[in-house]
Amino acid sequence: MPRTLGRMTERKDFLRVAGGRRKWVAPGLILQVALSDAPEMAGPHAEGRRIGFTASKKVGNAVARNRAKRRLRAAARALVADNGLPEHDFVLIARQETGGVRYAQLLAELEKALRRLKVWRDGPAAFSASAE
């Protein structure tokens, strides 16, 4: 069964992850990470992983914000589902550059952020920036 990601939708969860003060800033995204306080909420195949996405008005109008969040969701499916540590909550925050960077660069930045925050584990869909 393929791994999935649970979704975070409540403001209190986003605030808790932000309060954990574990984040990595890259040109195309910001990643925040915290241990999950409710891994059972993620679902049966998510191994306790939950993820949330946000894009402020600084990113642009509604079209730009939605495009940025779609790109972050695709990157999260590609990397976090298989390579993020179980029982962690992740928040991906869009930046102004998120909609314009190449998708391969977005994946490389997300992988680097996961590795720097020490929440990376090798899995079947490991992306390597050197593969470009």
Side-chain angles (χ1 to χ4, degrees), residues 55-74:
S56 72
K57 288 190 178 183
K58 291 180 187 177
V59 173
N61 62 14
V63 174
R65 291 192 307 269
N66 286 334
R67 180 170 193 257
K69 287 193 286 188
R70 274 196 312 272
R71 297 186 89 210
L72 290 177
R73 280 193 297 269

Side-chain angles (χ1 to χ4, degrees), residues 5 70 90:
L5 292 168
R70 274 196 312 272
F90 303 87

Side-chain angles (χ1 to χ4, degrees), residues 42-63:
H45 302 292
E47 296 180 340
R49 281 187 226 84
R50 294 189 307 162
I51 193 157
F53 303 92
T54 186
S56 72
K57 288 190 178 183
K58 291 180 187 177
V59 173
N61 62 14
V63 174

